[in-house]
Amino acid sequence: MDNRFFDNWATQVRKGMLELCILNAIKGTSLYGYDIVRKLRGIEGLVISEGTIYPILSRLKKEGLLKTTIKESTEGPPRKYYELTDKGTTILNAMNDYWTDIKTGTEKLKREE
Amino acid sequence: MINLTQEARIHLDKYLNEVRTSLAGCSVDVDDILGDINDHIESELHDLNEPASFDQLDEVLKRLGDPQQWVPPEEISSWRKMIQRLRKGPEDWRLAYLAFALLAVSIYINPERFFLWIRLLAFPLRAPLWLGEILLSYPSQTILLLASFILARAAIAASRNPHDLRGQKWLLYPPLIVTYILLLIFLLGFAPLAMLAFWAPKYIAELKELASGLHNSQSARAKATITSITIAATGLWWIILGVLSIPRPHYVRVVFRPFAEWFGRKHAAILICIGLLLLLISLLIINE
């Protein structure tokens, strides 16, 4: 297999999927950064460098999809918790619907082979 | 506050500086991210009963990964991209910046002489006569141009896709074009004159006078003879070049990469035909 082609393609797929997965991980709850990393660790092939998640969180916050609150912690200093804004929830629903359509279409193509 | 050994503390400070440098100029909030990174490391190491060692911290940092790879290239400003590429590569970009910088320096140290070369292109018949003098009279400029050219060729060789250089074109093409033009003038024009200078030095002096417009003292016959010999020598040389290129057109493509990918046997044959035409013209001039 041409590894370079596959590696480039996988990188592009990961770029798009990471934002969707981060938003889905936070949906309906309030998580701090490390919790989000731990949740996404379980998805094989999604996270190559755990640090990539933090610039994405910062960007999503800048875009207005996430908001942060500082909460006291029993395990150390106060922690910053992320949760979805109303705009984030709306956009996440649209992203999930889009992803479902793409996934359904792709599965259909695979079955036709 | 994370409890670390002295060695681990230094390692962490270095890593955080790298995060700050890599993310500067991006659309993200660097202080926010640094806070998140510190929280992450704190969470990973909070179970330890003693200060975390260098190795323990390093394991966490390895999982966090290289900060340079965290942000997509399209989010980084052009200026920041340039600095990152100069510091850490990839090699083809670093070479491209250096090649362009050397060209800029070679122009800067003597812009008048550099642009003299460009003016010579307006007088292609004169260019070969003065090429040698110009190149040798200011050797530092020539050396810098040569170094710039070598680095540009190295950048193309190191590039993942030499046939699609994209943004690198703007850095690599100027030193390549300048050098290739000079090389073409040398190969097509200077070389036959150099041969004639070797066999008939007096002829070159007379040709220079003719080219400079100082030919009033010469007879029409002498002018015709000089012109005819020049054209014949050039024609003969172009025929030789064409004949040598026909079995090996890839040599031309390699020498003039990436501008001569189209060169083939057909073009070598065209060169021979033009050479024959020049010989014919020289005969016509001498017979008038």
Side-chain angles (χ1 to χ4, degrees):
Chain A
M1 182 173 66
D2 187 339
N3 282 332
R4 201 156 87 173
F5 177 84
F6 178 78
D7 289 344
N8 286 340
W9 176 81
T11 302
Q12 296 304 315
V13 170
R14 259 197 309 274
K15 261 191 216 174
M17 293 310 298
L18 211 40
E19 286 166 339
L20 178 61
C21 292
I22 286 171
L23 291 171
N24 272 317
I26 299 172
K27 183 179 67 177
T29 184
S30 184
L31 292 176
Y32 77 100
Y34 186 65
D35 266 345
I36 301 170
V37 170
R38 274 204 305 204
K39 260 193 168 181
L40 298 182
R41 260 181 200 167
I43 304 175
E44 183 73 31
L46 181 66
V47 181
I48 300 298
S49 313
E50 291 175 356
T52 38
I53 288 165
Y54 295 108
I56 294 173
L57 286 172
S58 177
R59 195 161 25 85
L60 292 172
K61 186 176 147 194
K62 245 187 180 171
E63 299 272 352
L65 276 64
L66 297 178
K67 61 184 179 196
T68 55
T69 43
I70 306 292
K71 292 181 185 169
E72 292 299 324
S73 165
T74 52
E75 291 171 6
R79 284 173 175 165
K80 184 168 57 181
Y81 282 77
Y82 290 90
E83 49 191 272
L84 289 179
T85 59
D86 291 338
K87 179 182 173 185
T89 306
T90 307
I91 298 228
L92 175 59
N93 290 336
M95 285 167 78
N96 278 327
D97 289 341
Y98 188 81
W99 169 242
T100 304
D101 291 341
I102 296 273
K103 206 167 74 161
T104 310
T106 312
E107 290 298 324
K108 196 173 158 204
L109 278 173
K110 274 170 67 180
R111 280 194 296 272
E112 282 172 8
E113 281 173 9
Chain B
M1 183 72 173
I2 312 165
N3 203 5
L4 302 169
T5 60
Q6 173 85 337
E7 206 186 5
R9 172 62 55 189
I10 293 169
H11 189 36
L12 178 61
D13 288 343
K14 196 171 152 201
Y15 184 83
L16 293 176
N17 277 336
E18 212 179 298
V19 171
R20 190 178 282 283
T21 309
S22 297
L23 300 182
C26 302
S27 58
V28 295
D29 186 333
V30 181
D31 289 327
D32 221 14
I33 292 170
L34 285 172
D36 283 338
I37 299 293
N38 274 309
D39 288 345
H40 180 107
I41 296 169
E42 177 104 25
S43 299
E44 287 273 31
L45 300 174
H46 83 278
D47 280 339
L48 299 175
N49 294 326
E50 53 190 11
S53 67
F54 179 96
D55 290 334
Q56 285 167 325
L57 174 69
D58 196 52
E59 218 179 282
V60 175
L61 297 184
K62 276 196 173 103
R63 282 200 298 274
L64 279 171
D66 183 352
Q68 274 204 321
Q69 293 168 356
W70 289 356
V71 181
E74 56 270 15
E75 287 200 27
I76 306 173
S77 67
S78 308
W79 176 244
R80 179 59 54 185
K81 250 190 261 188
M82 186 180 92
I83 292 173
Q84 274 185 3
R85 284 166 178 160
L86 277 170
R87 282 180 70 226
K88 294 206 172 181
E91 210 55 47
D92 56 335
W93 271 102
R94 207 190 295 182
L95 290 168
Y97 285 124
L98 286 174
F100 190 80
L102 284 179
L103 176 70
V105 171
S106 81
I107 296 172
Y108 178 75
I109 59 174
N110 195 339
E112 193 191 303
R113 193 162 285 273
F114 185 88
F115 290 111
L116 178 63
W117 293 351
I118 310 294
R119 270 173 36 217
L120 280 180
L121 294 176
F123 303 97
L125 292 179
R126 296 185 189 179
L129 281 171
W130 280 276
L131 182 62
E133 285 177 31
I134 291 168
L135 286 176
L136 295 173
S137 64
Y138 221 94
S140 54
Q141 194 169 40
T142 306
I143 289 167
L144 282 169
L145 181 61
L146 187 61
S148 164
F149 169 73
I150 291 170
L151 287 178
R153 287 296 297 260
I156 291 176
S159 173
R160 273 196 230 173
N161 196 354
H163 301 291
D164 185 16
L165 295 168
R166 301 197 179 192
Q168 281 181 12
K169 265 192 247 189
W170 299 103
L171 300 169
L172 295 175
Y173 280 12
L176 290 176
I177 288 170
V178 168
T179 310
Y180 288 155
I181 287 173
L182 294 172
L183 185 60
L184 272 174
I185 293 173
F186 177 84
L187 276 177
L188 297 178
F190 185 78
L193 295 176
M195 283 191 308
L196 282 171
F198 179 73
W199 290 108
K202 189 185 162 208
Y203 155 79
I204 288 295
E206 287 178 8
L207 179 63
K208 276 190 178 176
E209 276 185 22
L210 186 69
S212 304
L214 301 171
H215 56 275
N216 292 331
S217 61
Q218 293 173 348
S219 67
R221 185 75 197 155
K223 281 184 240 173
T225 307
I226 292 168
T227 307
S228 172
I229 290 172
T230 308
I231 294 174
T234 307
L236 190 59
W237 177 245
W238 287 19
I239 291 170
I240 293 171
L241 283 180
V243 164
L244 289 173
S245 304
I246 279 188
R248 302 169 196 87
H250 60 279
Y251 280 7
V252 175
R253 291 195 284 266
V254 165
V255 167
F256 291 98
R257 183 164 289 160
F259 300 114
E261 302 303 315
W262 46 268
F263 190 87
R265 292 197 167 95
K266 179 177 78 174
H267 305 99
I270 291 172
L271 195 60
I272 293 172
C273 292
I274 296 174
L276 287 168
L277 187 63
L278 289 174
L279 278 179
L280 187 63
I281 292 170
S282 74
L283 285 172
L284 289 172
I285 292 173
I286 203 78
N287 282 335
E288 273 182 9

